[in-house]
Amino acid sequence: MSSLEERDRDRDGGVAAPAPGSSSAGAGPAGAGGAGAGPEAAGAGPGAGAGLLLQDDPGLRRDGPEPDPDQPPKKRPRIPEGESGKLEERLYSVLCCTVCLDLPKASVYQCTNGHLMCAGCFIHLLADSRLKEEQATCPNCRVTQCKYKRIGCPWQGPFHELPAHESECSHPTKTGTELMGILGEMDQSHRRDTQLYNSIFSLLCYEKIGFTEVQFRPYRTDDFITRLYYETPRFTVLNQTWVLKARVNDSERNPNLSCKRTLSFQLILKSKVNSPLECSFLLLKGPYDDVRIKPVIYHHSFSNDTNETDYVPLPISDSVECNKLLAAKNINLRLFIFQVQK
């Protein structure tokens, strides 16, 4: 009977009264403690006491083993369905082909401005350029201009960004004084361009004019730290033999560490002349290149002693155009030479 009562006492939390007729376990101080209803009284057995302590004492719950740093991190909680859709939309807008607007399933190609194209659209673009006999360009890199360009807005960008820019363009809200200053700068730029074109038209009236296609080929110097330079094969213009040389960043030691890159060139007369040969010359882009070069007229008087010009800048618009030339296998340009008659 005592075993059944002990089971009932353990099930009811250790508060059952002692059975009549049984030996008095609580006669001493220990027995008085056993008759109490606290957790210490209920913890007569070692197993039951440990279980109650772990359940009721919050301090012991915090003193667990340290997490193992070698264990893999726990999985992140699942993103709610609405937020997951937004994430998929953002990833789709970044990874989709900018031509067909579909996710690439095989090879992915990227232009210099970061636009992605799938293999099918890229091959189609190359085929179109071959049929049109022109250089292939990324469709998203073909820039357009703001409609407020005439009042000084310099923005250029892809066509799909044009509506957003024009809705936020600040030029329509400028005051008359601000617009007059912008228009004055535009007039000065227009006068410089007009003066340049008038100078070219005057040169075209000369009797002796020659031009040729030139191809700059890359070479390396014999220095311990080699430097890249370009040189053309010898060519004949105005019954004289010439050579063009070009260098990057004025032969800077490590042009690869510089973000700003420029090209400069010099014209060298290889023939012997009996009298000084005064010439004007300029370089323009070749017939099948899309590099943007703003024409600049240079002058030099060639003789047997001064048969080469100083290095003068190749007037390309920015470092991006310079990188296009450096990335090509050869640089193809067109040289014009005008002999000044005395």
Side-chain angles (χ1 to χ4, degrees):
M1 189 65 183
S2 61
S3 62
L4 292 175
E5 290 173 353
E6 289 177 357
R7 293 177 186 173
D8 293 339
R9 182 184 65 185
D10 293 338
R11 185 178 67 248
D12 296 334
V15 295
S22 61
S23 60
S24 177
E40 297 165 0
L52 288 172
L53 286 173
L54 288 175
Q55 182 178 0
D56 295 337
D57 192 354
L60 290 180
R61 290 201 304 269
R62 290 193 296 269
D63 296 337
E66 294 292 333
D68 189 1
D70 296 331
Q71 290 183 354
K74 295 182 180 180
K75 293 183 178 180
R76 295 181 179 179
R78 294 186 62 183
I79 302 175
E81 185 175 354
E83 297 182 7
S84 175
K86 295 179 182 178
L87 178 61
E88 290 179 0
E89 291 177 1
R90 291 199 299 268
L91 291 176
Y92 185 87
S93 63
V94 171
L95 300 177
C96 72
C97 172
T98 55
V99 179
C100 65
L101 303 179
D102 198 1
L103 288 176
K105 298 179 177 60
S107 302
V108 181
Y109 298 88
Q110 187 179 38
C111 74
T112 55
N113 292 328
H115 301 127
L116 301 180
M117 276 184 285
C118 64
C121 293
F122 181 71
I123 295 173
H124 188 83
L125 191 68
L126 294 180
D128 285 348
S129 65
R130 179 60 59 87
L131 293 173
K132 297 177 182 177
E133 201 174 358
E134 61 183 21
Q135 186 171 356
T137 57
C138 173
N140 283 270
C141 294
R142 297 167 188 168
V143 298
T144 184
Q145 295 178 331
C146 177
K147 66 180 180 181
Y148 301 112
K149 175 190 174 183
R150 300 188 66 180
I151 56 174
C153 180
W155 183 87
Q156 291 183 344
F159 183 78
H160 67 275
E161 296 180 3
L162 180 62
H165 164 75
E166 290 182 347
S167 63
E168 300 176 355
C169 184
S170 61
H171 281 73
T173 59
K174 289 184 178 295
T175 62
T177 304
E178 292 174 332
L179 290 178
M180 288 299 295
I182 294 173
L183 294 175
E185 295 177 358
M186 295 175 64
D187 289 340
Q188 292 181 4
S189 176
H190 179 69
R191 282 194 291 269
R192 288 193 296 268
D193 292 340
T194 304
Q195 184 179 2
L196 171 64
Y197 296 140
N198 289 335
S199 301
I200 294 176
F201 294 150
S202 299
L203 291 175
L204 292 175
C205 298
Y206 285 9
E207 180 181 357
K208 294 184 177 181
I209 302 173
F211 74 93
T212 184
E213 313 297 332
V214 293
Q215 185 180 79
F216 289 87
R217 298 175 182 176
Y219 297 95
R220 288 282 177 178
T221 61
D222 297 331
D223 302 334
F224 178 74
I225 300 178
T226 61
R227 292 181 175 87
L228 174 68
Y229 73 96
Y230 289 85
E231 187 173 339
T232 65
R234 295 192 177 195
F235 55 91
T236 302
V237 176
L238 299 177
N239 298 323
Q240 306 294 337
T241 304
W242 310 82
V243 167
L244 279 168
K245 289 185 178 181
R247 61 188 185 186
V248 184
N249 286 14
D250 289 331
S251 292
E252 184 181 1
R253 183 171 184 177
N254 292 314
N256 57 304
L257 302 180
S258 175
C259 295
K260 185 178 180 180
R261 293 174 181 170
T262 59
L263 280 170
S264 54
F265 72 99
Q266 69 171 169
L267 180 62
I268 303 173
L269 175 65
K270 290 296 185 180
S271 303
K272 297 295 182 181
V273 291
N274 297 325
S275 59
L277 185 65
E278 188 174 353
C279 294
S280 300
F281 60 94
L282 73 156
L283 277 175
L284 299 176
K285 70 174 185 177
Y288 300 110
D289 290 335
D290 62 345
V291 62
R292 289 177 291 181
I293 296 181
K294 185 176 181 179
V296 175
I297 302 172
Y298 298 103
H299 305 275
H300 188 75
S301 180
F302 294 92
S303 64
N304 294 331
D305 296 330
T306 58
N307 64 333
E308 59 184 37
T309 68
D310 296 330
Y311 275 92
V312 294
L314 182 66
I316 48 183
S317 58
D318 51 26
S319 296
V320 175
E321 298 298 324
C322 184
N323 287 333
K324 287 182 182 179
L325 294 176
L326 295 176
K329 185 176 181 181
N330 298 306
I331 300 177
N332 300 300
L333 299 175
R334 177 173 287 178
L335 173 68
F336 286 83
I337 300 180
F338 309 88
Q339 184 176 349
V340 180
Q341 298 294 327
K342 295 183 179 179

